[in-house]
Amino acid sequence: MPKETFFNLPRDKRNLIISAAIEEFSKADYNTASINQICKKSNIPKGSFYQYFTDKLDLYVYIMTLAIEEKIKFFSDVISEFPALTLLEQIRLLFLKGLEFAKKHPQYAALAEQFTKENDESVKSAVIKEGEKQSEALFIQMIDNAKAKGEIDEKVDSVALSILLQSLNSAINRYMLDKFGNVRYEDNQEDINYFVDSLLNIIFFGIQNKND
Amino acid sequence: MPKETFFNLPRDKRNLIISAAIEEFSKADYNTASINQICKKSNIPKGSFYQYFTDKLDLYVYIMTLAIEEKIKFFSDVISEFPALTLLEQIRLLFLKGLEFAKKHPQYAALAEQFTKENDESVKSAVIKEGEKQSEALFIQMIDNAKAKGEIDEKVDSVALSILLQSLNSAINRYMLDKFGNVRYEDNQEDINYFVDSLLNIIFFGIQNKND
DNA sequence: AATATTAGTGACCACTTGGTCATATTGTTA
DNA sequence: TAACAATATGACCAAGTGGTCACTAATATT
């Protein structure tokens, strides 16, 4: 956690430091991201930085905490807003809302993507301690719930499906980058909806020819 | 490409440099990987290194080229060995053989994983120019072939399915890490076979309850 | 044996890194 | 106004980076 001196700073200065840090940690992994650059970008001297934070990790964990808070708030809002949907509808909603979230908060999305790439295990675990597995728990809960309702086959492996669904998020982003060279949802809304539905149709109905 | 001086080196010395480089580029991204460490590990002076390679990128692209060659050779061998299998059988074979490959050549597997994390776009594109998309082409060819045989539904989106299948590789690795804390195939062979089948069953037969 | 060519070497360069610390500045209380 | 505490500051540090280069050693060629 940042020192008291950081929270005593005027809001504007604090936000400037935060956004400079988000920018830096978004485009480079932990070790490559530079405190010097963050200081330069937010116009604070090196010495001041260490007046606010004990070290680099202190800042990084703090920034990630902010991002995780925002993400959890967003998803739980979406879920609780539509409790009666089928699993297919729930997941479809989650994917499309996820794209919306990434569109509205591209910094946080980039931050999360960068985190998945992180090599330094000690840094990763420091962040994970601040809570992260909750999204996987959410998926499994949704799946088991759908099983109880008889919506999907009992024999489907919940963990396998959960991991598969999580992989789809990055698959969607990869598809957008491959095909359009960017990840702007609004520019290619039709194509993306079609792609998301293609993936979900495969998952829900299988690929085997029904006319056999 | 390395300079002539490199290829004039005795085999042993060349291989020592190569394996030192593979080790270094496996455990850190391009920028973090250190030429100094590679020199130290392979017992060659800094100056000699630049006698063999024009720069860091020259070495990296060369190393990746070796890995790609090995991977392509392996997969095309597997495919041509069993031309008459159904798509499900082909893909199942590819995944399990893929695990076998990762087990026998963990360095190359680690190298590939590290590459997917790479941030430096200019470095990425330098490698991609040496050929990489061929695995995606392979999948799509397999899928279209299966469609022509009436094995799978014509309406399934080939590109979507191809990306989905590629996602499975990372899903498998993630699953193994989550569940066992390592990626050693032999230690948990049963579980992994079960997991692969779970994933493939989802893809091929869907998750919807057939008793509706 | 003398010469010309190629390869081996490590000190050195400019630069960047995360982090420290003595000093200067500011704000608050007496 | 004087004293004291809290904060701001940037020169500085040791350690690392990729890359260079003058020099030496070995090998081929004459």
Short mmCIF file of all heavy atoms in Angstrom, two decimals, chain A residues 15-67:
data_model
loop_
_atom_site.label_atom_id
_atom_site.label_comp_id
_atom_site.label_asym_id
_atom_site.label_seq_id
_atom_site.Cartn_x
_atom_site.Cartn_y
_atom_site.Cartn_z
N ASN A 15 -4.08 11.38 -9.24
CA ASN A 15 -4.60 10.75 -10.45
C ASN A 15 -3.60 10.77 -11.59
O ASN A 15 -3.54 9.86 -12.41
CB ASN A 15 -5.91 11.43 -10.89
CG ASN A 15 -7.06 11.07 -9.97
OD1 ASN A 15 -7.04 10.01 -9.34
ND2 ASN A 15 -8.04 11.96 -9.87
N LEU A 16 -2.82 11.83 -11.64
CA LEU A 16 -1.80 11.94 -12.68
C LEU A 16 -0.78 10.82 -12.54
O LEU A 16 -0.41 10.15 -13.52
CB LEU A 16 -1.11 13.31 -12.58
CG LEU A 16 -0.18 13.68 -13.73
CD1 LEU A 16 -0.97 13.75 -15.03
CD2 LEU A 16 0.51 15.00 -13.46
N ILE A 17 -0.36 10.59 -11.30
CA ILE A 17 0.59 9.51 -11.04
C ILE A 17 -0.02 8.16 -11.37
O ILE A 17 0.60 7.32 -12.04
CB ILE A 17 1.04 9.53 -9.56
CG1 ILE A 17 1.84 10.81 -9.28
CG2 ILE A 17 1.88 8.31 -9.22
CD1 ILE A 17 2.13 11.06 -7.81
N ILE A 18 -1.27 7.97 -10.96
CA ILE A 18 -1.95 6.69 -11.22
C ILE A 18 -2.06 6.42 -12.72
O ILE A 18 -1.74 5.33 -13.19
CB ILE A 18 -3.35 6.69 -10.57
CG1 ILE A 18 -3.22 6.60 -9.05
CG2 ILE A 18 -4.19 5.53 -11.09
CD1 ILE A 18 -4.52 6.78 -8.30
N SER A 19 -2.48 7.42 -13.46
CA SER A 19 -2.68 7.17 -14.89
C SER A 19 -1.35 6.98 -15.61
O SER A 19 -1.25 6.20 -16.56
CB SER A 19 -3.50 8.29 -15.54
OG SER A 19 -2.84 9.51 -15.41
N ALA A 20 -0.32 7.67 -15.14
CA ALA A 20 1.01 7.47 -15.73
C ALA A 20 1.49 6.04 -15.47
O ALA A 20 2.05 5.38 -16.35
CB ALA A 20 2.00 8.47 -15.15
N ALA A 21 1.21 5.55 -14.25
CA ALA A 21 1.62 4.18 -13.89
C ALA A 21 0.84 3.16 -14.70
O ALA A 21 1.40 2.18 -15.21
CB ALA A 21 1.40 3.96 -12.40
N ILE A 22 -0.47 3.39 -14.86
CA ILE A 22 -1.29 2.46 -15.64
C ILE A 22 -0.77 2.39 -17.06
O ILE A 22 -0.63 1.30 -17.64
CB ILE A 22 -2.77 2.92 -15.63
CG1 ILE A 22 -3.38 2.66 -14.26
CG2 ILE A 22 -3.57 2.18 -16.70
CD1 ILE A 22 -4.80 3.18 -14.11
N GLU A 23 -0.45 3.55 -17.62
CA GLU A 23 0.06 3.59 -18.99
C GLU A 23 1.34 2.77 -19.12
O GLU A 23 1.49 1.97 -20.03
CB GLU A 23 0.30 5.04 -19.41
CG GLU A 23 0.43 5.23 -20.91
CD GLU A 23 0.74 6.68 -21.25
OE1 GLU A 23 0.29 7.60 -20.53
OE2 GLU A 23 1.47 6.90 -22.25
N GLU A 24 2.24 2.98 -18.17
CA GLU A 24 3.54 2.31 -18.24
C GLU A 24 3.40 0.79 -18.05
O GLU A 24 3.97 0.01 -18.80
CB GLU A 24 4.48 2.89 -17.19
CG GLU A 24 5.90 2.33 -17.22
CD GLU A 24 6.69 2.78 -18.43
OE1 GLU A 24 6.22 3.69 -19.15
OE2 GLU A 24 7.77 2.19 -18.68
N PHE A 25 2.64 0.40 -17.06
CA PHE A 25 2.48 -1.03 -16.78
C PHE A 25 1.60 -1.73 -17.82
O PHE A 25 1.52 -2.95 -17.83
CB PHE A 25 1.91 -1.25 -15.38
CG PHE A 25 2.90 -1.06 -14.27
CD1 PHE A 25 2.71 -0.09 -13.30
CD2 PHE A 25 4.05 -1.84 -14.21
CE1 PHE A 25 3.63 0.10 -12.27
CE2 PHE A 25 4.98 -1.66 -13.19
CZ PHE A 25 4.77 -0.68 -12.23
N SER A 26 0.93 -0.95 -18.66
CA SER A 26 0.11 -1.54 -19.72
C SER A 26 0.94 -1.98 -20.90
O SER A 26 0.63 -2.96 -21.56
CB SER A 26 -0.94 -0.54 -20.20
OG SER A 26 -1.89 -0.31 -19.21
N LYS A 27 1.99 -1.22 -21.17
CA LYS A 27 2.71 -1.50 -22.40
C LYS A 27 4.04 -2.24 -22.19
O LYS A 27 4.78 -2.47 -23.14
CB LYS A 27 2.93 -0.21 -23.19
CG LYS A 27 3.82 0.81 -22.55
CD LYS A 27 3.92 2.05 -23.46
CE LYS A 27 4.71 3.17 -22.82
NZ LYS A 27 4.53 4.45 -23.51
N ALA A 28 4.33 -2.61 -20.96
CA ALA A 28 5.54 -3.36 -20.69
C ALA A 28 5.34 -4.22 -19.45
O ALA A 28 4.56 -3.85 -18.57
CB ALA A 28 6.71 -2.42 -20.49
N ASP A 29 6.04 -5.35 -19.39
CA ASP A 29 5.91 -6.19 -18.21
C ASP A 29 6.57 -5.52 -17.01
O ASP A 29 7.24 -4.50 -17.15
CB ASP A 29 6.52 -7.57 -18.47
CG ASP A 29 8.01 -7.51 -18.69
OD1 ASP A 29 8.43 -6.99 -19.75
OD2 ASP A 29 8.77 -7.95 -17.80
N TYR A 30 6.40 -6.14 -15.85
CA TYR A 30 6.83 -5.51 -14.60
C TYR A 30 8.28 -5.06 -14.63
O TYR A 30 8.59 -3.90 -14.31
CB TYR A 30 6.60 -6.48 -13.44
CG TYR A 30 7.04 -5.93 -12.11
CD1 TYR A 30 6.28 -5.01 -11.42
CD2 TYR A 30 8.25 -6.34 -11.55
CE1 TYR A 30 6.68 -4.50 -10.21
CE2 TYR A 30 8.67 -5.83 -10.33
CZ TYR A 30 7.88 -4.91 -9.66
OH TYR A 30 8.30 -4.41 -8.45
N ASN A 31 9.17 -5.95 -15.03
CA ASN A 31 10.59 -5.60 -14.99
C ASN A 31 10.96 -4.52 -16.00
O ASN A 31 11.82 -3.68 -15.73
CB ASN A 31 11.45 -6.85 -15.23
CG ASN A 31 11.62 -7.67 -13.97
OD1 ASN A 31 12.05 -7.15 -12.95
ND2 ASN A 31 11.24 -8.93 -14.03
N THR A 32 10.32 -4.55 -17.14
CA THR A 32 10.65 -3.58 -18.19
C THR A 32 10.03 -2.21 -17.91
O THR A 32 10.61 -1.19 -18.27
CB THR A 32 10.17 -4.11 -19.55
OG1 THR A 32 10.66 -5.43 -19.74
CG2 THR A 32 10.66 -3.22 -20.68
N ALA A 33 8.89 -2.20 -17.29
CA ALA A 33 8.25 -0.92 -16.95
C ALA A 33 9.21 -0.09 -16.09
O ALA A 33 9.88 -0.63 -15.21
CB ALA A 33 6.95 -1.17 -16.21
N SER A 34 9.26 1.20 -16.37
CA SER A 34 10.29 2.05 -15.76
C SER A 34 9.72 3.09 -14.81
O SER A 34 8.85 3.88 -15.17
CB SER A 34 11.08 2.75 -16.88
OG SER A 34 11.76 3.86 -16.37
N ILE A 35 10.22 3.08 -13.59
CA ILE A 35 9.86 4.10 -12.61
C ILE A 35 10.25 5.47 -13.12
O ILE A 35 9.51 6.45 -12.98
CB ILE A 35 10.57 3.82 -11.26
CG1 ILE A 35 10.11 2.48 -10.68
CG2 ILE A 35 10.31 4.94 -10.28
CD1 ILE A 35 8.70 2.46 -10.21
N ASN A 36 11.41 5.54 -13.74
CA ASN A 36 11.87 6.82 -14.30
C ASN A 36 10.86 7.40 -15.28
O ASN A 36 10.57 8.60 -15.27
CB ASN A 36 13.21 6.63 -15.01
CG ASN A 36 14.35 6.41 -14.03
OD1 ASN A 36 14.34 6.96 -12.94
ND2 ASN A 36 15.31 5.60 -14.42
N GLN A 37 10.33 6.54 -16.14
CA GLN A 37 9.34 7.00 -17.12
C GLN A 37 8.07 7.48 -16.44
O GLN A 37 7.48 8.48 -16.84
CB GLN A 37 9.01 5.87 -18.10
CG GLN A 37 10.13 5.57 -19.08
CD GLN A 37 10.52 6.77 -19.91
OE1 GLN A 37 9.67 7.49 -20.42
NE2 GLN A 37 11.82 7.01 -20.03
N ILE A 38 7.66 6.75 -15.41
CA ILE A 38 6.45 7.14 -14.68
C ILE A 38 6.64 8.50 -14.04
O ILE A 38 5.76 9.36 -14.07
CB ILE A 38 6.10 6.07 -13.62
CG1 ILE A 38 5.67 4.78 -14.32
CG2 ILE A 38 4.99 6.56 -12.69
CD1 ILE A 38 5.51 3.58 -13.38
N CYS A 39 7.83 8.71 -13.46
CA CYS A 39 8.14 10.01 -12.84
C CYS A 39 8.13 11.12 -13.88
O CYS A 39 7.54 12.19 -13.68
CB CYS A 39 9.50 9.95 -12.15
SG CYS A 39 9.52 8.95 -10.65
N LYS A 40 8.76 10.86 -15.02
CA LYS A 40 8.84 11.86 -16.06
C LYS A 40 7.45 12.21 -16.57
O LYS A 40 7.10 13.38 -16.73
CB LYS A 40 9.72 11.34 -17.21
CG LYS A 40 10.16 12.42 -18.18
CD LYS A 40 11.02 11.85 -19.31
CE LYS A 40 12.41 11.45 -18.83
NZ LYS A 40 13.24 10.86 -19.91
N LYS A 41 6.64 11.17 -16.78
CA LYS A 41 5.31 11.36 -17.35
C LYS A 41 4.37 12.11 -16.40
O LYS A 41 3.51 12.85 -16.83
CB LYS A 41 4.71 9.99 -17.71
CG LYS A 41 3.65 10.06 -18.77
CD LYS A 41 3.66 8.81 -19.65
CE LYS A 41 4.62 8.96 -20.82
NZ LYS A 41 4.79 7.76 -21.63
N SER A 42 4.57 11.90 -15.10
CA SER A 42 3.68 12.56 -14.14
C SER A 42 4.34 13.78 -13.49
O SER A 42 3.82 14.34 -12.53
CB SER A 42 3.23 11.56 -13.07
OG SER A 42 4.36 10.97 -12.45
N ASN A 43 5.51 14.14 -14.03
CA ASN A 43 6.20 15.35 -13.55
C ASN A 43 6.50 15.36 -12.06
O ASN A 43 6.37 16.41 -11.41
CB ASN A 43 5.40 16.60 -13.92
CG ASN A 43 5.54 16.95 -15.38
OD1 ASN A 43 6.65 16.90 -15.94
ND2 ASN A 43 4.44 17.27 -16.01
N ILE A 44 6.86 14.21 -11.52
CA ILE A 44 7.32 14.21 -10.13
C ILE A 44 8.77 13.74 -10.09
O ILE A 44 9.18 12.92 -10.90
CB ILE A 44 6.47 13.30 -9.21
CG1 ILE A 44 6.50 11.85 -9.72
CG2 ILE A 44 5.05 13.80 -9.10
CD1 ILE A 44 6.04 10.85 -8.70
N PRO A 45 9.56 14.31 -9.17
CA PRO A 45 10.96 13.89 -9.06
C PRO A 45 11.05 12.47 -8.52
O PRO A 45 10.15 12.00 -7.83
CB PRO A 45 11.55 14.88 -8.06
CG PRO A 45 10.56 15.96 -7.92
CD PRO A 45 9.22 15.38 -8.24
N LYS A 46 12.14 11.82 -8.85
CA LYS A 46 12.42 10.47 -8.39
C LYS A 46 12.25 10.35 -6.88
O LYS A 46 11.60 9.44 -6.36
CB LYS A 46 13.87 10.13 -8.74
CG LYS A 46 14.18 9.01 -9.71
CD LYS A 46 13.48 7.76 -9.53
CE LYS A 46 14.34 6.57 -9.88
NZ LYS A 46 15.67 6.82 -10.38
N GLY A 47 12.84 11.31 -6.17
CA GLY A 47 12.80 11.28 -4.72
C GLY A 47 11.38 11.31 -4.18
O GLY A 47 11.06 10.62 -3.21
N SER A 48 10.54 12.11 -4.82
CA SER A 48 9.14 12.19 -4.37
C SER A 48 8.46 10.85 -4.51
O SER A 48 7.68 10.45 -3.64
CB SER A 48 8.39 13.24 -5.20
OG SER A 48 8.90 14.52 -4.93
N PHE A 49 8.77 10.16 -5.61
CA PHE A 49 8.14 8.85 -5.81
C PHE A 49 8.35 7.96 -4.61
O PHE A 49 7.42 7.34 -4.10
CB PHE A 49 8.69 8.18 -7.07
CG PHE A 49 8.11 6.80 -7.30
CD1 PHE A 49 6.95 6.63 -8.02
CD2 PHE A 49 8.74 5.68 -6.77
CE1 PHE A 49 6.40 5.37 -8.21
CE2 PHE A 49 8.21 4.41 -6.95
CZ PHE A 49 7.04 4.26 -7.68
N TYR A 50 9.58 7.93 -4.13
CA TYR A 50 9.89 7.04 -3.00
C TYR A 50 9.44 7.64 -1.67
O TYR A 50 9.62 7.04 -0.63
CB TYR A 50 11.37 6.67 -3.01
CG TYR A 50 11.67 5.65 -4.09
CD1 TYR A 50 12.10 6.05 -5.35
CD2 TYR A 50 11.46 4.30 -3.87
CE1 TYR A 50 12.33 5.12 -6.36
CE2 TYR A 50 11.70 3.38 -4.86
CZ TYR A 50 12.13 3.79 -6.10
OH TYR A 50 12.36 2.87 -7.10
N GLN A 51 8.89 8.84 -1.75
CA GLN A 51 8.21 9.41 -0.59
C GLN A 51 6.77 8.87 -0.53
O GLN A 51 6.20 8.77 0.54
CB GLN A 51 8.17 10.95 -0.73
CG GLN A 51 8.14 11.68 0.58
CD GLN A 51 9.52 11.84 1.18
OE1 GLN A 51 10.50 11.90 0.46
NE2 GLN A 51 9.60 11.90 2.49
N TYR A 52 6.25 8.50 -1.70
CA TYR A 52 4.85 8.03 -1.79
C TYR A 52 4.74 6.51 -1.71
O TYR A 52 3.80 5.98 -1.15
CB TYR A 52 4.22 8.52 -3.10
CG TYR A 52 4.35 9.99 -3.35
CD1 TYR A 52 4.54 10.48 -4.64
CD2 TYR A 52 4.28 10.91 -2.29
CE1 TYR A 52 4.65 11.84 -4.88
CE2 TYR A 52 4.41 12.27 -2.53
CZ TYR A 52 4.59 12.73 -3.82
OH TYR A 52 4.72 14.06 -4.05
N PHE A 53 5.71 5.82 -2.36
CA PHE A 53 5.65 4.36 -2.41
C PHE A 53 6.95 3.78 -1.86
O PHE A 53 8.01 4.38 -2.04
CB PHE A 53 5.46 3.88 -3.86
CG PHE A 53 4.23 4.46 -4.53
CD1 PHE A 53 4.33 5.62 -5.30
CD2 PHE A 53 2.98 3.87 -4.36
CE1 PHE A 53 3.21 6.16 -5.91
CE2 PHE A 53 1.86 4.41 -4.97
CZ PHE A 53 1.97 5.55 -5.74
N THR A 54 6.81 2.62 -1.20
CA THR A 54 8.02 2.02 -0.63
C THR A 54 8.94 1.51 -1.73
O THR A 54 10.16 1.63 -1.64
CB THR A 54 7.68 0.86 0.32
OG1 THR A 54 6.92 -0.11 -0.39
CG2 THR A 54 6.86 1.35 1.49
N ASP A 55 8.36 0.93 -2.79
CA ASP A 55 9.16 0.48 -3.92
C ASP A 55 8.28 0.24 -5.14
O ASP A 55 7.08 0.51 -5.11
CB ASP A 55 9.97 -0.77 -3.56
CG ASP A 55 9.08 -1.89 -3.04
OD1 ASP A 55 7.86 -1.85 -3.31
OD2 ASP A 55 9.59 -2.79 -2.37
N LYS A 56 8.88 -0.30 -6.19
CA LYS A 56 8.18 -0.52 -7.44
C LYS A 56 6.98 -1.45 -7.26
O LYS A 56 5.89 -1.20 -7.78
CB LYS A 56 9.16 -1.13 -8.45
CG LYS A 56 8.69 -1.12 -9.88
CD LYS A 56 9.71 -1.84 -10.77
CE LYS A 56 9.38 -1.70 -12.24
NZ LYS A 56 10.37 -2.38 -13.10
N LEU A 57 7.21 -2.52 -6.51
CA LEU A 57 6.15 -3.51 -6.31
C LEU A 57 4.95 -2.90 -5.59
O LEU A 57 3.80 -3.22 -5.90
CB LEU A 57 6.69 -4.72 -5.53
CG LEU A 57 5.75 -5.91 -5.39
CD1 LEU A 57 5.37 -6.47 -6.75
CD2 LEU A 57 6.40 -7.00 -4.54
N ASP A 58 5.24 -2.03 -4.66
CA ASP A 58 4.18 -1.35 -3.92
C ASP A 58 3.24 -0.63 -4.89
O ASP A 58 2.01 -0.77 -4.81
CB ASP A 58 4.81 -0.35 -2.94
CG ASP A 58 3.78 0.29 -2.01
OD1 ASP A 58 2.75 -0.37 -1.74
OD2 ASP A 58 3.99 1.43 -1.56
N LEU A 59 3.82 0.10 -5.81
CA LEU A 59 3.01 0.80 -6.81
C LEU A 59 2.24 -0.17 -7.68
O LEU A 59 1.03 -0.01 -7.90
CB LEU A 59 3.91 1.67 -7.70
CG LEU A 59 3.24 2.27 -8.95
CD1 LEU A 59 2.14 3.25 -8.56
CD2 LEU A 59 4.27 2.94 -9.84
N TYR A 60 2.91 -1.22 -8.15
CA TYR A 60 2.28 -2.16 -9.09
C TYR A 60 1.08 -2.85 -8.45
O TYR A 60 0.00 -2.91 -9.05
CB TYR A 60 3.30 -3.20 -9.55
CG TYR A 60 2.76 -4.16 -10.60
CD1 TYR A 60 2.36 -3.69 -11.85
CD2 TYR A 60 2.65 -5.51 -10.33
CE1 TYR A 60 1.87 -4.55 -12.80
CE2 TYR A 60 2.16 -6.38 -11.29
CZ TYR A 60 1.78 -5.90 -12.52
OH TYR A 60 1.29 -6.76 -13.47
N VAL A 61 1.27 -3.35 -7.24
CA VAL A 61 0.17 -4.03 -6.55
C VAL A 61 -0.99 -3.06 -6.35
O VAL A 61 -2.16 -3.44 -6.52
CB VAL A 61 0.65 -4.61 -5.21
CG1 VAL A 61 -0.53 -5.11 -4.39
CG2 VAL A 61 1.63 -5.75 -5.45
N TYR A 62 -0.68 -1.83 -6.01
CA TYR A 62 -1.74 -0.83 -5.81
C TYR A 62 -2.54 -0.60 -7.09
O TYR A 62 -3.77 -0.62 -7.09
CB TYR A 62 -1.13 0.48 -5.32
CG TYR A 62 -2.12 1.61 -5.19
CD1 TYR A 62 -3.17 1.54 -4.28
CD2 TYR A 62 -2.01 2.75 -5.97
CE1 TYR A 62 -4.08 2.57 -4.16
CE2 TYR A 62 -2.91 3.79 -5.86
CZ TYR A 62 -3.94 3.69 -4.95
OH TYR A 62 -4.85 4.72 -4.83
N ILE A 63 -1.84 -0.44 -8.19
CA ILE A 63 -2.49 -0.21 -9.49
C ILE A 63 -3.36 -1.40 -9.87
O ILE A 63 -4.51 -1.24 -10.32
CB ILE A 63 -1.42 0.03 -10.58
CG1 ILE A 63 -0.67 1.35 -10.32
CG2 ILE A 63 -2.04 0.03 -11.97
CD1 ILE A 63 -1.52 2.57 -10.46
N MET A 64 -2.83 -2.60 -9.69
CA MET A 64 -3.60 -3.80 -10.03
C MET A 64 -4.84 -3.93 -9.15
O MET A 64 -5.89 -4.37 -9.61
CB MET A 64 -2.72 -5.05 -9.89
CG MET A 64 -1.63 -5.17 -10.93
SD MET A 64 -2.23 -5.04 -12.63
CE MET A 64 -3.19 -6.55 -12.76
N THR A 65 -4.70 -3.54 -7.89
CA THR A 65 -5.84 -3.57 -6.99
C THR A 65 -6.98 -2.69 -7.51
O THR A 65 -8.14 -3.09 -7.52
CB THR A 65 -5.41 -3.08 -5.59
OG1 THR A 65 -4.38 -3.94 -5.10
CG2 THR A 65 -6.60 -3.12 -4.62
N LEU A 66 -6.63 -1.52 -7.98
CA LEU A 66 -7.63 -0.61 -8.54
C LEU A 66 -8.34 -1.26 -9.72
O LEU A 66 -9.56 -1.21 -9.84
CB LEU A 66 -6.97 0.70 -9.00
CG LEU A 66 -6.37 1.60 -7.92
CD1 LEU A 66 -5.77 2.85 -8.57
CD2 LEU A 66 -7.41 1.98 -6.89
N ALA A 67 -7.56 -1.90 -10.60
CA ALA A 67 -8.12 -2.52 -11.80
C ALA A 67 -9.05 -3.68 -11.44
O ALA A 67 -10.14 -3.80 -12.00
CB ALA A 67 -6.99 -3.01 -12.71
#
